[in-house]
Amino acid sequence: MEIDAIATAHAKRLSVADALLPTPPNWDAAAGTELSVRDGVALATRSRVDAGSPEALWRPLTEYRLNVRLGGADPGAAFGALLTEWDQLLEESEASDWDSAAVVTRPSRDTVGTSELLRRGFAPTRVLAVRPADRLAGGPPEVPGVRIRHAEPSELNTLVRLQLELRNYDEQFGVLTRRTDEERALTSATRELLADADSALPSLWIAELYGKPLGFVQVEVPPAAGWADSYVAAGSAGYLASMHVAEEARSSGVGSALAAHAHQLFDEAGMQAVLLHHTLANPRSTPFWYAQGYRPLWTSWYRRPAVQG
Ligand SMILES: CC(C)(COP(=O)(O)OP(=O)(O)OC[C@H]1O[C@@H](n2cnc3c(N)ncnc32)[C@H](O)[C@@H]1OP(=O)(O)O)[C@@H](O)C(=O)NCCC(=O)NCCS
């Protein structure tokens, strides 16, 4: 099959699978190594960040990624053949330390070839979930003792503590890696966000339970959330960047109140959809977000380390 015909078949399958997916953009062949099999093409890329960089807070230091276009009568078989070629390439890289990952991000509802990933040791690990604006609309729940308000610059330490708790919890689920200087990095990033507290839409919000700050949510709208346009066909999309409720306050409605507040902010800002990342194995966040009206849009399959000995 010709490359153009594969790309057309791929785009058609995706548009049938999920109306919220944008048209797949062309890739920059110079950014990686192109792989080609009967009825499938892929771009294999490698990226590396320094342990002290802000990006290292949220990802393995070395990531090998595969972007695929699948066509033909059996796109799952084409996917399997591409994964085999990619594995040969990865063998040469000797990426067998924990701080490396092989990652394939696929539209969640384009399930062809899923067993090919499982067979090669990949696990569905991280999801970019979407909530259309009109889904489960309704005001914030009345939760006794809960108040949601802008975070103040004086609350820097509280916000850093809550984020460290979140990292400690989320680390278990395969994407996030603790870094030696993460407290310093989080402090400086949070200080910057707090300096923006007077803007039209402050990004950090605190949940108090009977006057005690026990949770936070971080929201982003365009232009900060402009990257979301290449993941969702929704006009304008916001991003719920982070949320955490202290262990002592969980299961009492604080999280639901924070989420409802964030959705109200996104509605007021005219967002037609909201995206968020969560790790699938997180037994608290996964059911929580799906009860709040989200559903999977993109699923990232990880194999850590990238090459298994
Ligand atoms: C996910 C998280 C934010 C949810 O916050 P939360 O405050 O526990 O959420 P809620 O209390 O609103 O809802 C959780 C449960 O309590 C129940 N609940 C809500 N209000 C309640 C009330 N008044 N009385 C009893 N139960 C209640 C909800 O029905 C829900 O039940 P379920 O788990 O059986 O579906 C929180 O668990 C958390 O911070 N987890 C760790 C960090 C994390 O995973 N963050 C998200 C990263 S993407």
Side-chain angles (χ1 to χ4, degrees):
M1 216 173 168
E2 293 289 320
I3 290 182
D4 286 351
I6 294 172
T8 304
H10 185 79
K12 191 168 170 216
R13 201 180 58 260
L14 264 48
S15 72
V16 172
D18 191 338
L20 283 178
L21 291 172
T23 307
N26 293 331
W27 59 48
D28 172 13
T33 307
E34 276 193 301
L35 306 177
S36 165
V37 297
R38 195 194 140 117
D39 297 339
V41 285
L43 186 71
T45 55
R46 172 189 182 275
S47 69
R48 184 166 169 84
V49 296
D50 287 335
S53 67
E55 295 89 350
L57 290 176
W58 313 108
R59 51 163 280 178
L61 295 185
T62 311
E63 278 185 359
Y64 298 86
R65 287 184 170 261
L66 192 72
N67 195 344
V68 298
R69 302 280 185 265
L70 311 170
D74 188 353
F79 187 38
L82 286 168
L83 288 173
T84 299
E85 286 224 349
W86 189 37
D87 266 341
Q88 282 160 8
L89 204 66
L90 291 179
E91 287 293 336
E92 292 160 23
S93 70
E94 295 177 1
S96 53
D97 67 302
W98 174 247
D99 232 331
S100 70
V103 187
V104 187
T105 298
R106 299 196 66 199
S108 303
R109 292 183 175 175
D110 185 30
T111 55
V112 292
T114 295
S115 61
E116 301 290 345
L117 285 162
L118 291 166
R119 208 168 282 159
R120 290 168 178 81
F122 286 83
T125 304
R126 191 173 192 235
V127 162
L128 183 62
V130 63
R131 180 185 189 273
D134 51 4
R135 185 76 59 87
L136 293 182
E142 274 302 313
V143 186
V146 174
R147 186 167 85 98
I148 309 223
R149 54 168 179 76
H150 300 171
E152 302 290 338
S154 60
E155 290 174 304
L156 180 62
N157 291 345
T158 303
L159 284 159
V160 171
R161 175 176 51 76
L162 289 169
Q163 289 176 84
L164 288 171
E165 278 176 27
L166 170 57
R167 292 181 64 74
N168 191 39
Y169 188 67
D170 218 17
E171 183 204 11
Q172 303 175 91
F173 309 118
V175 179
L176 192 154
T177 305
R178 304 301 297 272
R179 304 290 176 204
T180 44
D181 58 350
E182 63 183 21
E183 185 163 351
R184 189 191 49 77
L186 286 173
T187 303
S188 95
T190 309
R191 189 180 286 122
E192 260 179 51
L193 290 173
L194 284 168
D196 234 12
D198 292 332
S199 69
L201 181 62
S203 51
L204 286 169
W205 296 77
I206 289 270
E208 286 179 354
L209 188 59
Y210 296 107
K212 204 171 161 195
L214 287 173
F216 81 94
V217 66
Q218 182 187 342
V219 297
E220 257 179 25
V221 292
W227 59 269
D229 292 346
S230 50
Y231 292 91
V232 66
S236 55
Y239 182 56
L240 199 155
S242 188
M243 185 163 124
H244 181 74
V245 173
E247 204 167 342
E248 65 200 277
R250 288 187 198 151
S251 296
S252 52
V254 177
S256 303
L258 271 171
H261 183 80
H263 295 147
Q264 209 166 35
L265 295 173
F266 287 123
D267 282 349
E268 285 164 14
M271 298 298 105
Q272 280 151 35
V274 179
L275 301 183
L276 61 80
H277 281 104
H278 73 90
T279 41
L280 265 179
N282 182 332
R284 293 207 166 258
S285 67
T286 300
F288 177 81
W289 291 124
Y290 295 117
Q292 302 292 327
Y294 289 82
R295 56 96 163 162
L297 182 64
W298 294 89
T299 302
S300 291
W301 292 72
Y302 277 67
R303 188 173 63 197
R304 278 187 85 171
V307 177
Q308 299 190 326

